[in-house]
DNA sequence: TAGATTGTTAATCGATTAACAATC
DNA sequence: TAGATTGTTAATCGATTAACAATC
């Protein structure tokens, strides 16, 4: 707010939730202050990196004392935009959609999936994790009326791009894409890919390398 | 196999599945050769990076002609360990577990979830996406008998570490962790975190920055 | 004051990008 | 041959890590 919004590194940004979680745990133990070293130790990470990351988020500590646990939690949440609650629409009522609709871990982030959309008549009208499943044709109208800004894509890969296009036409500002496909989208729209395939590739390649080493 | 196994960058590794997918598409169009530039254009990426990545995976192209589509697909699959099929055990039969058990996108990677484990008596004995749900106490014995090397964690955060410990005692060599918590594990074990929180943090922080900019 | 920890600047490291030579 | 594209080495860029000054 008072500080100029410097561009912070993507990698740094992605470490923030871990910091938040550690602070949450430490706070629940009744501890009021914590040093970067203590935070870093929990992940076998460099204390300097923690300090830099927190600085980037605009959090301030006190020399000799450390960072105030609750204040720093608030600061991270503020930085990540987790203090404003976000309503989101989810498209795709399959297995993955069901998991996302029912997942409770998004709560600290203030993310609430308020409705699910699908084009399968058998699913429409039912509930998914307590949320109504609606005809995908209703997305646009409802998104505009409710000022929903986040769209979550959990459809098969071949339908991902058209779903994204539809979302953008509906005024969606940010897309969280779980389909294994890169989306093309206009400049200025926030697109975050949550495709699991890179993670699986890393796992299996490392497992293979390990095996190859053992054979040698 | 013939080449020394150089350490390849993590980021490069994670780009491999996209290359494989593009090659798959191009191959299905009947095209036999493809240049790095053509691959790169699909992601608005640098052609040099594609070339470097493929080189790192041990794939070879032909000057003036490009990379042979099918050969390069095979090369990437080989590099990622996708030619050997992997059986995996999944622990946690909740929403997320159901999504993973039913997800078909793991097939190109040769990953098959053969059994699901849980400690909730109501779930045990049922099927999840066609796979049997078993008592978690049976994990160890079955894993050793079936030589299963990959364990997938889809339990709540507070149970993640004990699940990991149990897996490692059972001889599991690689853990794919979907719980939002870093795991501590001995050197040499492959642990890949698929926690969604960093992805969500990136999304919401960027959305907030965008909004802040518009206000100015 | 002394000492611990932050804040900040400098050095290192690695990944990405650019340049150019090799090749079919 | 000429030209397109690979293969490879060099330059740039950015992120991580180290060093040290500032501060309570």
């Amino acid at each position: 707010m008072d500080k100029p919004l410097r561009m912070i590194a993507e990698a740094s940004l992605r470490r923030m939730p871990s910091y938040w979680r550690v602070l949450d745990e430490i706070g629940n133990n009744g501890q009021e202050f914590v040093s970067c070293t203590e935070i870093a130790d929990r992940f076998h990470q460099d204390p300097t990196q923690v300090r830099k990351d927190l600085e980037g988020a605009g959090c301030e500590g006190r020399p000799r004392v450390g960072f105030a646990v609750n204040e720093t939690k608030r600061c991270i949440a503020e930085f990540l935009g987790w203090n404003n609650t976000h309503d989101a629409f989810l498209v795709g009522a399959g297995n993955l959609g069901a998991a996302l609709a029912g997942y409770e871990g998004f709560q600290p982030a203030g993310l609430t999936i308020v409705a699910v959309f699908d084009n399968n008549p058998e699913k429409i009208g039912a509930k998914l994790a307590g949320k109504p499943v609606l005809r995908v044709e209703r997305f646009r109208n409802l998104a505009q009326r409710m000022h929903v800004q986040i769209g979550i894509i959990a459809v098969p890969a071949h339908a991902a791009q058209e779903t994204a296009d539809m979302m953008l036409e509906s005024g969606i500002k940010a897309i969280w894409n779980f389909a294994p496909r890169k989306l093309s989208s206009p400049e200025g729209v926030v697109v975050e890919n949550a495709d699991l395939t890179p993670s699986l590739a890393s796992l299996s390649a490392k497992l293979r390398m390990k095996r190859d080493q053992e054979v040698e």
Side-chain angles (χ1 to χ4, degrees), chain A:
Chain A
M1 241 164 184
D2 37 6
K3 285 204 172 185
L5 246 181
R6 230 174 314 164
M7 205 46 184
I8 193 174
E10 177 75 20
S12 173
L13 220 167
R14 290 178 166 266
R15 284 189 291 266
M16 292 296 166
S18 327
Y19 298 150
W20 188 92
R21 245 179 268 138
V22 168
L23 289 164
D24 192 49
E25 282 173 24
I26 289 174
N28 289 340
N29 286 347
Q31 196 176 323
E32 281 186 51
F33 288 89
V34 63
S35 73
C36 290
T37 312
E38 195 178 339
I39 298 176
D41 281 349
R42 303 233 176 179
F43 318 107
H44 309 104
Q45 222 182 344
D46 191 306
T48 310
Q49 187 170 70
V50 176
R51 208 144 48 225
K52 266 257 165 115
D53 287 342
L54 290 179
E55 193 204 336
C59 309
E60 284 172 6
R62 297 195 218 160
R64 225 196 117 162
V65 183
F67 287 78
V69 174
N70 286 323
E71 190 192 311
T72 310
K73 265 177 74 180
R74 249 197 315 276
C75 165
I76 294 176
E78 173 78 35
F79 175 73
L80 292 176
W82 286 7
N83 287 334
N84 313 48
T85 56
H86 300 293
D87 286 347
F89 278 177
L90 166 68
V91 178
N95 281 320
L96 181 58
L100 294 171
Y103 188 56
E104 287 162 22
F106 301 149
Q107 263 171 3
L111 185 80
T112 311
I113 296 173
V114 290
V116 182
F117 296 83
D118 205 298
N119 58 11
N120 181 343
E122 290 180 17
K123 292 183 174 167
I124 292 164
K127 294 244 173 182
L128 198 69
K131 282 123 194 182
V133 181
L134 307 173
R135 283 171 44 228
V136 76
E137 286 78 15
R138 299 187 59 193
F139 188 102
R140 181 169 187 163
N141 200 279
L142 281 171
Q144 287 171 349
R145 219 162 61 196
M146 297 173 69
H147 298 100
V148 171
Q149 301 196 313
I150 298 181
I152 305 176
I153 295 181
V155 302
H158 63 83
Q161 184 62 55
E162 58 175 315
T163 303
D165 293 344
M166 180 278 287
M167 285 180 169
L168 296 174
E169 282 169 24
S170 307
I172 288 293
K173 295 285 195 301
I175 291 178
W176 201 12
N177 174 37
F178 286 82
R181 171 152 316 190
K182 292 264 168 63
L183 301 176
S184 63
S185 68
E187 193 83 13
V189 173
V190 177
V191 177
E192 170 67 21
N193 289 300
D195 177 11
L196 296 177
T197 328
S199 178
L200 178 56
S202 174
L203 182 85
S204 61
K206 283 176 192 159
L207 189 58
R208 180 192 60 73
M209 288 180 203
K210 202 185 147 200
R211 236 185 250 136
D212 289 356
Q213 278 172 5
E214 281 165 7
V215 170
E216 270 168 26

